[in-house]
Amino acid sequence: MAFRRWHTLFRNVAIVASFQAMLSSSLLFAGGLGATSPKSFRVPQGFEVDLVYEVPMQDQGSWVCMCVDLKGRLIVSDQYGKLYRVQPAPAGKDSSETKVELLNVEVGMAQGLLHTKDGLYVDINGKGPTGAGLYRLQDLDGDDQFEKMDHIIKIDGEGEHGPHAVIPGPDGRLYLCAGNASDLPKKIDASRVPRIWSEDHMLGRMPDARGFMATRLAPGGYILSFNPDGSDVEIVSTGFRNEYDIAFNPHGDLFTYDADMEWDVGTPWYRPTRVNHVVSGAEFGWRNGTGKWPEYFADSFGAVANIGYGSPTGIAFGTGAKFPAKYQNALLISDWSYGVIYAVNLQPDGSTYKSTFEPFISASPLPVTDLVVHPEEGSLFVAIGGRKVQSALYRIRYTGSESTAKASFPDNPESAAARDTRRSLEKMHRGEVDVNLALKHVGSSDRGIRTAARLALEHANVDTWRSKTASVSSPQGVITTAVALARKGMPADQAEILNRLTKLDWNQLSGVEKLELLRAYQLAFVRLGEGDAKSRAQVISQLDAHFPSPSEDSLLDRELVRVLIYLNAPKIVERAVSRLSSTGSADEQIHYAFCLREAKTGWTEETRKAYFQWFYQVATARGGASFGGFIENIRQVAIKNLTEEQKASLGDLVGPPPAPRDPLENLTPRPFVKEWKVEDLAESVTAKTEGFDFENGKQMFAVAQCYKCHRFAGQGGIQGPDLTSASGRFNAKDMLTAIVEPHKEISDQYAATQFLLDDDQVITGRVANMNGDVLMVATNMLDPGNFTNIVRNTITETKPSQVSMMPSGLLNTLSDKDVMDLLAYLSAGGNPKDARFQPAK
C-alpha cells in the first residue's frame, strides 16, 4: 500500500503563532478523537461533505479500500481485518442511519475490491486462506451471502507494497496492479511487456543507503490483465514502485498514480509521485536505490503529471458523478499523507495526454485511502484510514448551480487518429507482428506511437527485422531501432548499431533525439559489450565537444557525462569536476559526484582535491532518510579507488565523514541590504526590458534559496511549485509580489495547519504521516528528518494557517540589480538567449 513512512520531508518552515490567533479556529475532529469534521474540509464552491460513518476502531478497524456492489451498497475492507457491507445513510441524513454488516467470509485484509456479475473479487496482500493474491467469492443461492471462494490468481507479495486494486476494463477483462514487493504470478500466459527486462545501468547502481528492498530488482511493480475467471493472465506494464490503484478514462486509456521513494528526496534519482498513462507493454523505470530511470529514457515511458511529495492511494475518474463537467472529466487522485484529493485534468495530446492539476478536496488530517463514484446517486464516496488511524466514510456531493449533465470527455480529431495508430501497433504486442508497419512508425515524433512500434519489433524474432532497419533514415527512427536492437539483439549487432548512430549529426538533432541517442549508446554498451577501441573513439568523437553543452542543459549534460565517463573521454574528469563545482543545484552536483566515483584515470591532484572537498560542502544539504547515506557511500567508493599515496596527499579529506552542519549556516554570509517591499521595485520591474545579467540572475536563484524548494529548468527541489513555466502564468511584478509577500495568497496545495494543544502550545505545519493516534507534523523544510509528533487527544482546536510555508525576507541580502536579474532569469525561463539578456540599446 502506498501509505507512507514519511521519515523525510522538507516542505515546511516552523512558525510559532500566538494563542489569540487561534480563537476563531474550527474543531478539527468530530467528537474528540473521532473522524475529521466535514466542516474542516476545503472543497470547491457548490460542493458539500457529509460524514456517512465514523468507523469504531476497536470493532471494525481502519478501512483502506471499497467498491460498490450490484445493489448500490458499499463493500469495504479493514487493512488488517474483515470485510464489511455498508448501506450509506441517504444524502443529507444523519450518519446514524448508515447500516454496517460484517461479511461472513474467510478473507479480509484486502487492498482491492470489485463486485461484478461474476462475483466479489478480493485482492489480499496479507495471509489469505491459501496465500496472497486475488480471490473470487460467489453467491450461488441468491441469499446475499458468499458461499463459494476460489483463489484465482496467486501472488507472492505481502504488506504495503503487495497486491492492490482490481478493476474492470472496457474490453471485458479485469485489471490488477501490484507494488514492487510482489513477485509476478508463477503462471503468466502472455506479456505485452517484452520479457527482456534488466537493470541497464551504464555506471552501475548503488542500492538504497538504508538497505530498503536492496535485492529487489526489475521488473518492479506491475499491472496484469485476465479473464473474469482468472484465466489468460497477461502482463500489461511494469516498472512501477507502488501504484495502489488504476482507472480507465472514457477513451479506454488506463492510468495510475505511482509512489515516490521519499528517502531519495534531494538526490538526482528521486522521482516525485506521478500520474502515468499506462500504454500497452510500457516499462516505467522503477529500480532500487540510485538506479531509477529518468522519465526521458527512450526505453521507458514518462509521466502525464508529476505531482510531488505524497503517498498515492485510491484514484477514480469522475465519470458518472453528478458534478460540473470539469470534475466529471477529471482523474481524481488521493494523497494519504498530506490529506489531498487532486483533480487531474487531462487533455488529449497526440496519442497520449497532457495535464494540469489542482487540489479538489483537502483537510488536515485526511488520510484518504480510497474513493469511488456511486453509479446511481452520482456522489463521490471517500474513505479515510490505514495504519490503524481513525477511519471514516464521507460523501461528496454537488448542490451548486452549475450543470451536472453528462459531459463529453475532451478529444480532437488529430488525437483520435493518433490513438488509433498507437492501438493498431499495440495489437501486435500480443499478436502477429507486421514488421513493416512497425518500422514505418519508429521515427514518429509521437512518443506513444514510436514506443508502441519499438515494442512491436521487440516482440518479433529479431532475425525478421534486423536487416530491415537499414531502410529507416530519419534520425528518430535510427535511434529507436538502435534501442530495440540493443535490447533484443546480440553482441555482434553492436558494431552496426554504433556505426549508424555515430553518423547522425548532433547539431541537427532535437533535444528529445539527443537524450534518446545517449540512452541508445548506454544500452548498446551495457547489453552488448564494452566495444572495441575504434568504435568507442567514434562515439567520443561525436559527443565530446558537446559537454558541457553551450546552453548548460542540465538533463543533456547529465547523460553526456554518464556516457563520456564510461568511455574515458579525454579530460572528462576535469570537465565533470568543473561542472560539479559550478552548478547551483545540489541534485545535479550529486549526479556528477556519482558518475565520477568510479573514474580511475584522468585525475590531477587539483581535481581530486576539488572532488573530495565537495563532500564537505554538500554536508549542509538536506534530503530524505537515505540522502546522507548515499553521499557517504559515493565517497567511500571513490576512496577505495585511491592509492595510499593519493590518500596521504588528501589528508583529512578522506578521513572521517564530514559532520552535518546547521542548514541555516549558508544564510548568514551575505550582508543585509534592505527589507524590500513590492512598491520599491514595481516601477523598475515593468520599465526595464533588456540589459539584464543572465549569470547573475542564475546565481541569485541559488543565493535566495530558491533551489531548496523549487525546481527550475530541470534543477532544484520539488517541495514547492515548479517555476520553469511560471512566466507563462505570471508577469515579473506578480513574481516579485509572490516572493516579497508570500503570505498574500496561499495555495491549498501548499497550505499548512495550525494546531492548538491543550497546553496552549501552537504547532504549525503539515501532517506528513500518521500512526494510530499520533500525527507526525513536518514543520521545517530545512530539516527534513525531524517531525513534531502530536497526540490527537491533546488537540483542542485547529485552523488553516494564514502564514505561507515559504519564508519571508529571501531578497533582503540582494541589491536592486540582483533582484531585477533574478526576476529576468525567472521570466525568461532560464533561457540565456532571451531578449532580456541582450545589451541595452
Side-chain angles (χ1 to χ4, degrees):
M1 192 163 202
F3 308 146
R4 190 50 51 79
R5 308 183 220 8
W6 272 95
H7 296 302
T8 55
L9 291 174
F10 47 106
R11 192 189 284 238
N12 309 298
V13 175
I15 303 164
V16 179
S18 67
F19 172 67
Q20 288 76 15
M22 301 290 292
L23 291 179
S24 61
S25 64
S26 62
L27 287 178
L28 178 63
F29 306 113
L33 286 179
T36 302
S37 168
K39 293 181 180 180
S40 69
F41 278 56
R42 293 182 288 272
V43 295
Q45 185 175 2
F47 284 88
E48 294 191 19
V49 182
D50 298 328
L51 175 61
V52 175
Y53 187 66
E54 185 175 314
V55 181
M57 175 74 67
Q58 296 302 318
D59 298 326
Q60 296 172 357
S62 195
W63 296 355
V64 296
C65 69
M66 60 183 171
C67 68
V68 181
D69 74 7
L70 300 183
K71 296 184 179 180
R73 301 165 298 187
L74 300 176
I75 297 176
V76 302
S77 179
D78 171 19
Q79 184 178 2
Y80 306 108
K82 301 291 187 178
L83 302 183
Y84 300 89
R85 187 154 48 201
V86 182
Q87 180 64 62
K93 297 294 183 179
D94 189 85
S95 61
S96 62
E97 296 190 29
T98 295
K99 297 179 175 59
V100 179
E101 168 195 0
L102 173 67
L103 286 182
N104 185 23
V105 293
E106 296 181 36
V107 294
M109 300 178 66
Q111 293 192 4
L113 289 168
L114 171 67
H115 197 205
T116 75
K117 63 180 179 61
D118 297 302
L120 174 64
Y121 294 88
V122 183
D123 203 17
I124 298 174
N125 66 6
K127 299 184 183 299
T130 53
L134 187 66
Y135 291 77
R136 182 173 67 169
L137 282 57
Q138 293 176 297
D139 176 8
L140 301 179
D141 58 11
D143 67 350
D144 215 19
Q145 298 297 322
F146 299 100
E147 300 85 23
K148 188 174 188 296
M149 180 174 67
D150 297 298
H151 193 177
I152 61 174
I153 299 180
K154 295 183 178 181
I155 297 175
D156 183 7
E158 298 183 5
E160 294 185 356
H161 289 241
H164 296 314
V166 55
I167 68 169
D171 53 1
R173 294 168 66 85
L174 303 184
Y175 289 75
L176 178 153
C177 65
N180 60 358
S182 306
D183 293 337
L184 285 164
K186 290 182 172 58
K187 187 179 184 302
I188 295 290
D189 299 290
S191 179
R192 291 182 167 273
V193 182
R195 294 195 231 192
I196 53 175
W197 50 70
S198 186
E199 294 297 289
D200 293 326
H201 307 309
M202 182 167 234
L203 295 177
R205 173 186 71 95
M206 300 179 73
D208 177 74
R210 294 165 63 95
F212 184 66
M213 289 193 180
T215 60
R216 178 63 61 168
L217 304 177
Y222 54 82
I223 295 174
L224 304 177
S225 169
F226 47 91
N227 289 326
D229 63 359
S231 63
D232 191 33
V233 178
E234 71 172 359
I235 304 171
V236 175
S237 184
T238 59
F240 301 102
R241 181 174 187 264
N242 194 23
E243 79 289 30
Y244 183 68
D245 204 353
I246 47 181
F248 282 96
N249 75 358
H251 291 323
D253 284 323
L254 183 63
F255 293 82
T256 192
Y257 180 26
D258 197 18
D260 63 345
M261 174 42 162
E262 72 277 14
W263 293 358
D264 291 344
V265 166
T267 69
W269 45 87
Y270 173 75
R271 304 194 311 179
T273 67
R274 57 193 196 148
V275 176
N276 295 118
H277 175 196
V278 185
V279 294
S280 170
E283 150 79 74
F284 286 88
W286 175 83
R287 298 295 187 271
N288 181 268
T290 66
K292 297 169 193 66
W293 297 359
E295 63 181 357
Y296 52 77
F297 269 12
D299 47 336
S300 184
F301 204 72
V304 172
N306 286 308
I307 304 298
Y309 302 131
S311 298
T313 47
I315 73 172
F317 276 93
T319 309
K322 292 180 180 177
F323 290 173
K326 173 182 178 180
Y327 298 106
Q328 290 184 48
N329 291 332
L331 175 61
L332 306 175
I333 62 173
S334 306
D335 174 2
W336 184 83
S337 60
Y338 282 121
V340 181
I341 298 173
Y342 294 101
V344 182
N345 298 295
L346 298 162
Q347 292 290 331
D349 183 27
S351 73
T352 181
Y353 298 83
K354 59 184 178 181
S355 74
T356 57
F357 65 92
E358 61 188 56
F360 173 44
I361 301 166
S362 61
S364 183
L366 193 72
V368 186
T369 54
D370 206 0
L371 43 76
V372 61
V373 174
H374 196 286
E376 296 172 9
E377 63 174 77
S379 299
L380 179 72
F381 282 89
V382 174
I384 68 170
R387 293 270 181 91
K388 298 183 179 180
V389 304
Q390 176 61 55
S391 192
L393 180 66
Y394 302 89
R395 175 191 279 114
I396 313 297
R397 53 195 174 95
Y398 183 71
T399 58
S401 58
E402 287 189 57
S403 171
T404 59
K406 182 178 179 181
S408 297
F409 198 78
D411 204 5
N412 59 73
E414 295 78 13
S415 291
R419 281 198 308 277
D420 287 344
T421 299
R422 171 171 57 79
R423 289 171 177 169
S424 69
L425 293 163
E426 290 173 345
K427 289 179 180 178
M428 294 188 272
H429 298 172
R430 201 183 166 179
E432 184 177 350
V433 177
D434 182 338
V435 168
N436 292 328
L437 179 61
L439 289 172
K440 177 182 176 182
H441 292 289
V442 290
S444 174
S445 60
D446 185 305
R447 186 175 186 178
I449 290 174
R450 71 173 178 272
T451 295
R454 174 180 59 79
L455 292 171
L457 289 180
E458 292 178 10
H459 276 286
N461 186 320
V462 69
D463 293 336
T464 66
W465 56 268
R466 175 188 285 111
S467 62
K468 292 185 177 183
T469 61
S471 65
V472 177
S473 58
S474 70
Q476 182 65 73
V478 171
I479 294 165
T480 304
T481 53
V483 169
L485 190 54
R487 283 167 46 83
K488 194 70 185 284
M490 299 179 294
D493 293 313
Q494 186 190 65
E496 180 58 24
I497 291 172
L498 299 181
N499 181 52
R500 298 200 71 202
L501 293 178
T502 53
K503 288 181 179 178
L504 296 175
D505 185 343
W506 176 270
N507 293 318
Q508 298 301 312
L509 300 180
S510 68
V512 169
E513 289 168 341
K514 288 174 181 176
L515 287 170
E516 295 199 0
L517 169 66
L518 293 167
R519 181 56 174 168
Y521 279 131
Q522 293 171 33
L523 292 168
F525 287 114
V526 169
R527 291 209 172 204
L528 305 180
E530 295 182 356
D532 58 31
K534 180 180 178 181
S535 62
R536 291 167 69 95
Q538 288 177 324
V539 178
I540 292 172
S541 177
Q542 181 193 36
L543 303 179
D544 196 46
H546 305 292
F547 176 79
S549 58
S551 61
E552 294 190 359
D553 184 314
S554 169
L555 302 182
L556 190 59
D557 281 348
R558 290 186 191 197
E559 298 312 314
L560 278 166
V561 80
R562 198 193 307 262
V563 175
L564 291 172
I565 284 180
Y566 176 86
L567 296 174
N568 196 24
K571 296 187 176 181
I572 186 57
V573 167
E574 179 181 327
R575 286 176 283 158
V577 170
S578 175
R579 291 289 288 131
L580 171 72
S581 303
S582 63
T583 181
S585 170
D587 63 332
E588 188 173 359
Q589 293 172 16
I590 294 167
H591 175 81
Y592 288 111
F594 175 80
C595 290
L596 284 162
R597 78 195 192 284
E598 293 279 16
K600 296 180 175 62
T601 61
W603 292 92
T604 64
E605 184 173 353
E606 181 181 1
T607 55
R608 192 174 286 115
K609 284 185 176 180
Y611 178 69
F612 282 97
Q613 180 63 46
W614 174 83
F615 290 98
Y616 282 79
Q617 296 167 356
V618 81
T620 60
R622 291 295 183 269
S626 293
F627 182 86
F630 277 128
I631 299 299
E632 180 57 17
N633 289 347
I634 293 170
R635 179 173 174 266
Q636 289 301 324
V637 170
I639 289 173
K640 288 179 182 178
N641 289 324
L642 298 173
T643 66
E644 291 303 318
E645 182 180 355
Q646 291 165 347
K647 290 179 185 178
S649 69
L650 291 169
D652 291 343
L653 291 178
V654 293
R661 290 149 59 190
D662 181 354
L664 297 177
E665 264 189 355
N666 56 357
L667 294 179
T668 58
R670 289 177 63 92
F672 175 84
V673 174
K674 181 177 181 178
E675 185 175 345
W676 292 105
K677 295 183 174 18
V678 174
E679 53 266 30
D680 294 334
L681 297 164
E683 184 176 343
S684 301
V685 161
T686 55
K688 187 175 179 179
T689 59
E690 57 188 4
F692 296 100
D693 185 333
F694 173 82
E695 291 299 332
N696 189 51
K698 181 179 179 181
Q699 183 182 0
M700 291 306 106
F701 191 76
V703 167
Q705 310 297 311
C706 305
Y707 274 127
K708 288 185 179 294
C709 298
H710 298 283
R711 199 158 188 80
F712 188 78
Q715 303 179 39
I718 63 165
Q719 59 271 41
D722 188 321
L723 299 180
T724 307
S725 59
S727 61
R729 305 187 303 275
F730 309 104
N731 60 33
K733 184 178 178 181
D734 293 332
M735 288 188 276
L736 175 66
T737 303
I739 298 171
V740 175
E741 302 176 359
H743 316 310
K744 188 172 184 178
E745 184 175 347
I746 305 172
S747 166
D748 285 351
Q749 186 178 351
Y750 302 105
T753 299
Q754 289 184 331
F755 298 94
L756 174 64
L757 308 187
D758 55 13
D759 62 358
D760 293 347
Q761 182 183 183
V762 175
I763 294 174
T764 301
R766 300 189 70 189
V767 176
N769 198 3
M770 285 150 279
N771 192 350
D773 288 337
V774 176
L775 306 182
M776 301 167 68
V777 181
T779 60
N780 187 352
M781 66 179 179
L782 297 176
D783 195 0
N786 285 336
F787 289 134
T788 299
N789 291 340
I790 304 176
V791 179
R792 290 184 65 178
N793 63 6
T794 66
I795 300 172
T796 60
E797 293 177 302
T798 180
K799 74 171 188 178
S801 173
Q802 299 304 308
V803 181
S804 172
M805 305 316 297
M806 178 175 170
S808 302
L810 294 175
L811 303 182
N812 290 355
T813 64
L814 277 61
S815 68
D816 56 351
K817 178 183 181 303
D818 292 335
V819 175
M820 298 289 285
D821 288 341
L822 169 61
L823 293 172
Y825 178 69
L826 292 170
S827 299
N831 177 14
K833 297 181 180 179
D834 187 273
R836 295 171 180 81
F837 304 114
Q838 300 306 309
K841 297 177 182 177

